[in-house]
Amino acid sequence: MKKLIKKFKKLFLIVLCVLVALCIFQWYEQSQDRCSITKTTFTENSLPKQFNGFTIGYLSDLNLSEKNDLTRLNSSIQDLNAKNLDMILFGGDIFNESSFENNQVSKVLKKLQSHYGKFAVLGDKDQNDSSTCSNILTEAGFEVLHNEVRNIYYKEDIIQLIGLENTGDCSGLISETNEKSYKIALIHQPDYFKEISQYSIQLQLSGHTLGGYYKIPFIGGIETKDKGKNYVNGKHTKNKTTLLISNGFNKESSENHRFLTRDEVNIITLKR
């Protein structure tokens, strides 16, 4: 009995130490008020040879609500530009609520540099004022995709980028002519992965959920949203399609804290 009590005490101390360490780590992350760059390598054998090593900068959920957010965004853009990226993608939601400093937002986003284009889709918040948000992105040098396919040319090869808005219906965008092409789907809400994984699409990039705000190890993010309930954070694979969910650049103004889901922008390197 005494041995059992000793083992229980040791286990309790270990769990307590882990929790304290996590709290200290989270406090440190919150105090930095910075957005990290998360690097991911996506390997798939169907990637055209010339695209091996192709780099994508992916931003989602800017949730801008005050001028300080623009200063922070400008700093992150400088960090991304230093990476010499091949393509920039934006996954939606420029503002947290109403738009502000529209011209300034365009000027900051225009600083993003890439060799082979900047593309975007609108998020659910953007669609409350789709005309304004589309104009901001267009002025910043983005091509906004409204349920469209674009060919991305690199050296002598081609991959396809599919931009979807509030729909997972790819049926009108995939045919016999492009069924075997390497494809990336950009769509704000991750739960459309159920539909998208039924098609010959290699990678889906989404945001929207902000990682679930509070991530519990081995369980995942615990706060869900409409169209972000089944897939909340991290990477998922189904039917040879992979979903990558970004935590997003910034929290919503109604939320003050995160846990193990720090603000992020993503760099994705394609490999074969």
Side-chain angles (χ1 to χ4, degrees):
M1 185 67 178
K2 289 183 179 180
K3 289 183 178 180
L4 184 62
I5 293 174
K6 284 183 178 180
K7 287 183 179 180
F8 178 79
K9 286 182 177 179
K10 287 181 179 180
L11 179 62
F12 176 78
L13 287 173
I14 291 171
V15 172
L16 183 61
C17 288
V18 170
L19 289 174
V20 170
L22 286 173
C23 289
I24 292 173
F25 173 76
Q26 181 62 25
W27 170 82
Y28 172 77
E29 287 293 312
Q30 289 281 146
S31 67
Q32 299 306 299
D33 190 29
R34 62 185 173 85
C35 185
S36 65
I37 292 179
T38 301
K39 295 182 178 180
T40 303
T41 298
F42 178 65
T43 304
E44 224 286 332
N45 289 335
S46 64
L47 180 73
K49 291 181 180 179
Q50 297 290 348
F51 276 87
N52 191 43
F54 191 86
T55 55
I56 300 170
Y58 176 50
L59 299 89
S60 186
D61 301 278
L62 300 182
N63 286 322
L64 303 176
S65 60
E66 58 183 15
K67 289 185 177 180
N68 286 340
D69 294 333
L70 276 177
T71 302
R72 187 164 170 261
L73 176 60
N74 191 64
S75 177
S76 292
I77 286 174
Q78 291 177 8
D79 291 340
L80 281 177
N81 286 341
K83 305 300 181 182
N84 198 30
L85 300 170
D86 292 311
M87 187 167 67
I88 297 289
L89 300 179
F90 175 61
D93 281 358
I94 302 172
F95 300 104
N96 181 59
E97 293 178 348
S98 57
S99 61
F100 71 98
E101 299 282 354
N102 294 353
N103 291 335
Q104 187 61 30
V105 172
S106 284
K107 287 180 181 178
V108 172
L109 289 173
K110 193 171 186 177
K111 294 179 182 178
L112 276 165
Q113 300 172 3
S114 72
H115 300 295
Y116 297 93
K118 294 159 53 173
F119 302 89
V121 293
L122 298 182
D124 56 314
K125 294 176 184 174
D126 298 324
Q127 289 175 347
N128 294 327
D129 191 358
S130 59
S131 178
T132 296
C133 291
S134 292
N135 287 338
I136 288 172
L137 291 166
T138 300
E139 289 294 323
F142 283 85
E143 181 179 355
V144 183
L145 301 178
H146 305 279
N147 300 318
E148 300 173 77
V149 181
R150 286 292 177 270
N151 289 334
I152 308 299
Y153 299 91
Y154 181 65
K155 297 180 181 178
E156 298 175 356
D157 279 324
I158 300 172
I159 63 174
Q160 292 191 319
L161 176 65
I162 299 174
L164 299 173
E165 288 181 349
N166 286 341
T167 174
D169 184 10
C170 298
S171 59
L173 302 177
I174 297 176
S175 63
E176 292 181 359
T177 59
N178 70 348
E179 186 177 6
K180 295 183 179 180
S181 300
Y182 185 97
K183 292 178 283 293
I184 297 173
L186 181 62
I187 181 169
H188 183 67
Q189 296 96 333
D191 275 2
Y192 287 113
F193 183 59
K194 181 179 179 180
E195 286 76 26
I196 286 173
S197 62
Q198 296 175 8
Y199 296 91
S200 57
I201 295 173
Q202 283 68 36
L203 178 63
Q204 175 185 331
L205 299 178
S206 295
H208 182 55
T209 58
L210 301 167
Y213 276 106
Y214 305 93
K215 181 181 178 182
I216 306 301
F218 309 110
I219 296 176
I222 61 174
E223 285 199 15
T224 62
K225 290 185 173 185
D226 181 42
K227 299 175 184 175
K229 296 182 182 296
N230 298 317
Y231 302 96
V232 182
N233 72 307
K235 186 187 292 187
H236 306 266
T237 301
K238 183 178 181 181
N239 298 336
K240 297 183 179 180
T241 301
T242 296
L243 164 66
L244 178 64
I245 306 171
S246 174
N247 289 340
F249 173 80
N250 196 20
K251 300 181 292 293
E252 293 165 312
S253 60
S254 59
E255 295 283 353
N256 296 318
H257 301 286
R258 285 183 181 272
F259 185 72
L260 301 181
T261 58
R262 60 185 180 182
D263 301 347
E264 69 179 358
V265 295
N266 305 78
I267 293 180
I268 300 146
T269 302
L270 303 181
K271 289 282 188 179
R272 61 172 284 141

